[in-house]
Amino acid sequence: MLFARLARVSQEVAAVPARSRKVALLAELFRDADADDVPIVIPYLAGRLPQGRLGIGWKLLGQDIAPAAEPALTVREVDARLTAVGAVSGPGSQAERARLVGELLAAATEDEQRFLFGLLTGEVRQGALDALAVEGLAGATGAPAADVRRAVMLAGSLQTVAGALLADGPAVLDTFRLTVGRPVLPMLAHTASSVAEAVGKLGACAVEEKLDGIRVQVHRDGADVRLYTRTLDDITDRLPEVTAAARELKGDSFVLDGEVIALDEHGRPRSFQETAGRVGSRVDVASAAAAVPVSPVFFDVLRVDGRDLLDLPGADRHAELARLVPEPMRVRRLLAHGPQDVAAAEAFLAGTLARGHEGVVLKALDAPYSAGRRGSAWLKVKPVHTLDLVVLAAEWGHGRRTGKLSNLHLGARTADGSFAMLGKTFKGLTDALLTWQTERLRELAVEDNGWVVTVRPELVVEIAYDGLQRSTRYPAGVTLRFARVVRYREDKRPEEADTVQTLLAAHPEVRP
C-alpha cells in the first residue's frame, strides 16, 4: 500500500465528525491493504510508532526539505526506514539520524511529510483509535464487530487479529482464546467525580484501593510463571520476588490481574518513580530487588485450573480470587450495596488516601471482565491536583490541529523570578480553546522556528495533573503526570503563578 493512501485517509478521518463515516473510511482502507501492511497501518492511524521512541526531535524534523512531486513510498518502506533510524547508535549517530530522516522526508510528498511530522511528534489525533479500527475491520471482512473485539482482547494485539482476519477471514476469530502464557489487554476504568456518583451509577459494587503501582498480569502453568505489563511486555526476569510469590499460591494454572508496588518499611507506598524504575531495571536485578523490593497486590482472576472466568460476574471472580490468593496479597476492598453505603465508601476512600494511595476503583459486582476496554462497570475516583502555570511555548499541531498551536510548554516560577519548564500537554483542549489560544499565543510570540513558537511568559493556565515524578529532562528535576488544561486564567498575572517550591512541598515523596 502506498503511504500516500494512508496519509490521505488519516486526513479524511480527521475531517469528518460522524463516527459511521470514519468507520467506513477505515473499512475501505483495510479492504485494500495487504495483511502484511496491517501491523503498520493500525498503529500509524492511532499515532503510534511500532518501534517506540526513535530519538527524532524538532531539530531533525526542522530540516527545510522540498517534498517529492509524486507519491512513491510504500507503508512498509516507511516502516523499514524508521526502523533503520531507530537502530542508529554510537559516535556520529545524530548526524546519521539527520541523514536518514532527511532522505525519508525528501522521498515524501507534501501530504506525506505532514503526516510524518504528526506521527513522529505524537500529534496524530484524527480520531482513528483502536475502537474505530475494530469496527472498520468488521466492516471490511463481514465479521461481527463483537467477535473482532473479543478476539483482540484475547490476543492482546489488534494488529495480530487484523492480519489474521484479512488473510484468513472471519472463521479465524475462533482460534483466539484465553490461554495461560499469552497475555490479554487489561480491563480499564472510566473516571467518576465522586464516590457518590460512582455508587449511583453502579449500584452494588466493590470499592477497592487504587494503588499507584505498575499493572501486572501473572500467568502460571505448573512451575512456569510469566509476568506481563499492561502493554503486554514480558517482565518476568525483572521481578523474581513476584515470580516466587506466584509459585507459592495454591493453584497450578491461573491468570491473575493486579499491581506491583514498592512499599517502605512502614508499609506506605514509595514514589511511583521508584516502582517504575525498579520494574524497568534490566541490569543487576538481584541488587535492584534488594534495594527496592516490590510486592504484588491482586484484584482479579481471569482463568484458573482450565476454566475461563472472563464472563463470570465480578463477585464470582473475586470468590475464586479469595480461594486462590491469601488476603495479604489481595487488594483492600469494601462492599457497597447502594446509596446507604456511600458514607462508608467515602470513609474507605479517606483511609486509602491516608495510607498514601491514589484513590479508589468502584467495580460493579455483576459485571464480566471486559479485557482491553475502558468499561463503565469500573469507575475510578481520586483527588485532582491543580496548578496555575505559565505558558512558555507551544508547538504547531498536525492532523486535525494543523494550523493551530497545540502542545503547551508549561512553567512554574522559580526563586530567582524566572520560569522552569515542568512538561507539556495538549490534553483538555476543545476546538474553541485551540482557536483562542492560537490567536492569543501568536500575540505573545517572540520566536517561531516553524515547529515551536516561544512566547513571552505572560499567559497563566490552570492545569490539572495526577501526580509528580522525577525527570532529568526538565530543569526542576520533576515533571507532571497526565497534565491537562482546565482553563486559562487571564485574571491572574504570571507572578501569581505557582512556584516550583510550592509544587515540591506538596509532593515531598518526589523530591529530585
Side-chain angles (χ1 to χ4, degrees):
M1 173 178 284
L2 284 176
F3 186 65
R5 173 76 191 284
L6 177 60
R8 185 172 68 254
V9 169
S10 173
Q11 191 173 33
E12 290 173 345
V13 169
V16 297
R19 182 184 181 91
S20 59
R21 180 56 183 156
K22 291 177 186 285
V23 170
L25 287 167
L26 294 177
E28 185 180 352
L29 178 71
F30 293 143
R31 286 190 196 101
D32 296 340
D34 292 334
D36 290 340
D37 290 330
V38 172
I40 306 166
V41 168
I42 286 177
Y44 278 14
L45 284 170
R48 300 190 302 265
L49 289 173
Q51 299 88 347
R53 290 188 177 182
L54 297 177
I56 299 174
W58 292 108
K59 187 174 182 180
L60 293 183
L61 291 174
Q63 304 175 68
D64 187 12
I65 296 174
E70 298 292 335
L73 288 169
T74 66
V75 167
R76 275 175 272 176
E77 182 181 355
V78 171
D79 183 65
R81 288 182 181 232
L82 292 178
T83 298
V85 173
V88 173
S89 62
S93 59
Q94 192 72 358
E96 178 62 7
R97 283 196 195 95
R99 183 185 72 80
L100 292 173
V101 171
E103 289 180 351
L104 175 58
L105 293 176
T109 64
E110 185 175 354
D111 284 346
E112 290 173 320
Q113 282 190 353
R114 188 177 297 112
F115 184 62
L116 278 170
F117 294 153
L119 188 62
L120 295 171
T121 58
E123 281 274 329
V124 174
R125 279 184 289 280
Q126 77 280 15
L129 302 177
D130 288 350
L132 290 177
V134 164
E135 294 182 34
L137 283 167
T141 60
D147 292 354
V148 179
R149 193 175 295 114
R150 185 173 180 85
V152 170
M153 77 180 189
L154 295 177
S157 167
L158 175 57
Q159 292 94 302
T160 299
V161 172
L165 184 57
L166 291 173
D168 301 321
V172 79
L173 297 178
D174 291 336
T175 65
F176 294 100
R177 298 184 177 90
L178 178 58
T179 305
V180 176
R182 185 169 70 184
V184 300
L185 294 169
M187 184 172 177
L188 304 174
H190 274 297
T191 299
S193 61
S194 68
V195 165
E197 177 193 333
V199 172
K201 288 182 176 180
L202 299 177
C205 60
V207 187
E208 298 181 352
E209 286 186 333
K210 186 179 189 309
L211 308 181
D212 195 14
I214 299 292
R215 191 79 173 261
V216 65
Q217 199 174 110
V218 176
H219 291 238
R220 175 178 167 183
D221 185 9
D224 184 36
V225 175
R226 310 305 299 176
L227 313 178
Y228 302 95
T229 65
R230 134 180 204 161
T231 53
L232 312 188
D233 296 320
D234 189 328
I235 55 170
T236 308
D237 295 340
R238 304 180 209 172
L239 303 177
E241 66 269 50
V242 178
T243 298
R247 287 189 178 129
E248 292 296 318
L249 298 179
K250 298 175 183 177
D252 187 59
S253 176
F254 53 74
V255 178
L256 296 173
D257 190 7
E259 301 239 347
V260 292
I261 188 168
L263 303 172
D264 64 19
E265 62 273 18
H266 305 294
R268 293 181 62 81
R270 297 167 75 160
S271 72
F272 173 80
Q273 195 81 0
E274 290 179 274
T275 297
R278 169 62 211 289
V279 173
S281 177
R282 296 176 175 85
V283 180
D284 196 359
V285 170
S287 296
V292 186
V294 295
S295 303
V297 181
F298 298 111
F299 48 72
D300 220 320
V301 56
L302 314 186
R303 186 176 177 86
V304 62
D305 297 334
R307 291 179 294 128
D308 184 339
L309 308 183
L310 291 172
D311 294 326
L312 289 183
D316 293 352
R317 295 198 311 277
H318 189 268
E320 291 286 349
L321 181 72
R323 181 181 66 81
L324 182 67
V325 178
E327 186 175 1
M329 272 198 281
R330 299 199 306 267
V331 72
R332 281 191 181 96
R333 72 198 306 253
L334 170 79
L335 294 184
H337 297 285
Q340 69 274 19
D341 293 326
V342 166
E346 289 174 338
F348 183 85
L349 169 60
T352 298
L353 296 175
R355 287 188 290 274
H357 298 301
E358 269 198 318
V360 293
V361 181
L362 292 89
K363 301 177 179 179
L365 295 178
D366 60 355
Y369 189 97
S370 300
R373 301 191 69 187
R374 196 176 291 280
S376 57
W378 287 12
L379 298 173
K380 58 187 176 183
V381 178
K382 57 183 180 178
V384 176
H385 309 285
T386 61
L387 290 169
D388 289 332
L389 301 176
V390 173
V391 179
L392 305 178
E395 299 169 7
W396 287 109
H398 297 278
R400 65 183 295 270
R401 295 187 175 188
T402 297
K404 303 289 177 63
L405 286 172
S406 175
N407 208 11
L408 302 174
H409 296 201
L410 305 168
R413 288 190 297 127
T414 63
D416 64 5
S418 61
F419 295 92
M421 186 172 170
L422 297 175
K424 308 177 185 180
T425 189
F426 51 75
K427 303 289 188 182
L429 295 169
T430 63
D431 289 344
L433 199 55
L434 272 169
T435 299
W436 180 88
Q437 81 176 21
T438 299
E439 295 174 357
R440 185 72 181 91
L441 292 174
R442 291 183 72 176
E443 294 172 358
L444 299 174
V446 295
E447 182 183 354
D448 181 353
N449 65 10
W451 306 106
V452 179
V453 175
T454 304
V455 300
R456 297 194 302 275
E458 298 177 8
L459 189 59
V460 178
V461 60
E462 184 178 347
I463 297 293
Y465 67 103
D466 285 4
L468 197 65
Q469 67 185 54
R470 288 190 288 271
S471 172
T472 57
R473 295 180 60 189
Y474 297 108
V478 294
T479 188
L480 304 177
R481 294 179 60 201
F482 306 113
R484 61 266 188 201
V485 173
V486 176
R487 57 177 172 161
Y488 277 95
R489 297 298 306 266
E490 288 198 288
D491 58 320
K492 286 198 169 187
R493 301 185 305 275
E495 54 267 29
E496 296 178 271
D498 285 304
T499 66
V500 172
Q501 183 179 11
T502 299
L503 177 63
L504 294 177
H507 300 275
E509 76 282 2
V510 195
R511 288 188 180 278

